[in-house]
Amino acid sequence: GENVEQHPSTLSVQEGDSAVIKCTYSDSASNYFPWYKQELGKGPQLIIDIRSNVGEKKDQRIAVTLNKTAKHFSLHITETQPEDSAVYFCAASYMTGNQFYFGTGTSLTVIP
Amino acid sequence: GAVVSQHPSWVICKSGTSVKIECRSLDFQATTMFWYRQFPKQSLMLMATSNEGSKATYEQGVEKDKFLINHASLTLSTLTVTSAHPEDSSFYICSAAQTGKTQYFGPGTRLLVL
C-alpha cells in the first residue's frame, strides 16, 4: 500500500518568513495530493490540493509543487503570519474520494 | 460549501456505556464517509469507510462489533462506540466525499470514557 512520509515534524519560523513542508509517497499510482491544516481541537481543513497532471498550484500565500518522477510534493507558505500556526498534514490517494494516506504531520509555529 | 458537522463535539461517559456520534454533510450528498481516530500529536488513523446503503469496510485491527457504523442516507453517518472503555477515549473525526471529489472533514468529537 501507499506510504507517505512528511518532514519536518516541527517547524518554527519568524513572522514574514517562508515555511516549506515536504512529503514523499511510494505508490506511483497516486494521483491526488491534498494538504490539510488542523488547529488544536478542530478537524482538518483543506487548504490546497494538486492532481498529478499539474506541477504547481498557487492560492495567494500558499503553493504546492509536485514532482511525479521523484514522488514528492511540497507545501510552501510565504509571508507567514501567527495565524498560520497549526499542524499541517499532507495526503496521497489514487483518486479523490478514495482512501487518503496521511503523512505524520508538521507542527508549524510562526513567531511574532 | 462542503460543510461537514459532527455531534456531539465532546462527550463524557461511564465505562460500559455506548456512545453515538453523528456526522452530517450539510450542503452536499456524500456517497462515501470515512471515520478516523486521532491520538494526541499523532496523525489521523482511518477506522472505516462507509458507502451509503452498504456495510462499512473496516481497517485491519478495528473491531467492527465495537465501532458500529451506519450510513443510512447520503447526508448522515453514525459511529457508535459500544461498551466504551477508557482506552476508547480519543478524538474521532469523520469526513465526507462525493464521488470523484475530495474529502471534507468534520470538526471532530472528543470522547472521554471514565
Side-chain angles (χ1 to χ4, degrees):
Chain A
E2 176 66 279
N3 181 46
V4 178
E5 295 188 356
Q6 183 172 347
H7 298 282
S9 57
T10 60
L11 178 62
S12 291
V13 298
Q14 292 288 336
E15 182 177 359
D17 288 349
S18 296
V20 180
I21 303 171
K22 299 180 179 181
C23 288
T24 61
Y25 60 100
S26 61
D27 190 347
S28 57
S30 290
N31 60 6
Y32 177 67
F33 308 93
W35 284 89
Y36 289 87
K37 174 183 180 182
Q38 186 177 28
E39 297 178 343
L40 191 62
K42 298 183 178 180
Q45 282 190 312
L46 179 69
I47 55 172
I48 196 167
D49 57 7
I50 192 168
R51 297 173 192 267
S52 60
N53 58 348
V54 176
E56 183 175 358
K57 184 176 179 180
K58 189 174 182 179
D59 183 4
Q60 299 183 333
R61 296 186 296 109
I62 296 173
V64 56
T65 58
L66 171 66
N67 183 326
K68 285 193 298 181
T69 303
K71 294 206 282 282
H72 67 70
F73 56 111
S74 301
L75 177 71
H76 304 254
I77 306 175
T78 59
E79 301 172 31
T80 54
Q81 301 168 2
E83 50 265 39
D84 294 329
S85 297
V87 178
Y88 291 81
F89 291 98
C90 64
S93 79
Y94 174 59
M95 39 186 309
T96 53
N98 273 12
Q99 180 177 344
F100 284 6
Y101 296 88
F102 284 91
T104 48
T106 297
S107 177
L108 172 65
T109 302
V110 179
I111 304 167
Chain B
V3 179
V4 178
S5 70
Q6 276 184 247
H7 179 81
S9 55
W10 60 269
V11 56
I12 302 173
C13 69
K14 292 183 179 179
S15 186
T17 61
S18 294
V19 174
K20 181 184 283 188
I21 302 170
E22 290 187 349
C23 177
R24 293 182 185 271
S25 56
L26 299 185
D27 52 2
F28 66 100
Q29 293 186 324
T31 47
T32 307
M33 286 187 169
F34 302 83
W35 286 95
Y36 295 84
R37 184 174 180 176
Q38 188 177 36
F39 293 103
K41 297 187 178 182
Q42 293 192 21
S43 189
L44 291 84
M45 182 186 78
L46 180 65
M47 299 175 65
T49 302
S50 73
N51 293 294
E52 185 262 342
S54 302
K55 287 186 177 180
T57 301
Y58 290 81
E59 294 300 300
Q60 192 172 7
V62 178
E63 299 176 59
K64 62 180 181 181
D65 293 331
K66 181 167 187 62
F67 299 99
L68 301 178
I69 291 171
N70 183 276
H71 190 168
S73 77
L74 287 172
T75 59
L76 173 64
S77 177
T78 59
L79 167 67
T80 301
V81 183
T82 61
S83 186
H85 291 284
E87 57 266 30
D88 298 325
S89 298
S90 194
F91 192 49
Y92 292 89
I93 310 172
C94 72
S95 71
Q98 295 174 282
T99 302
K101 298 194 174 180
T102 194
Q103 292 182 34
Y104 292 94
F105 285 82
T109 296
R110 188 161 301 282
L111 170 63
L112 177 61
V113 184
L114 302 177

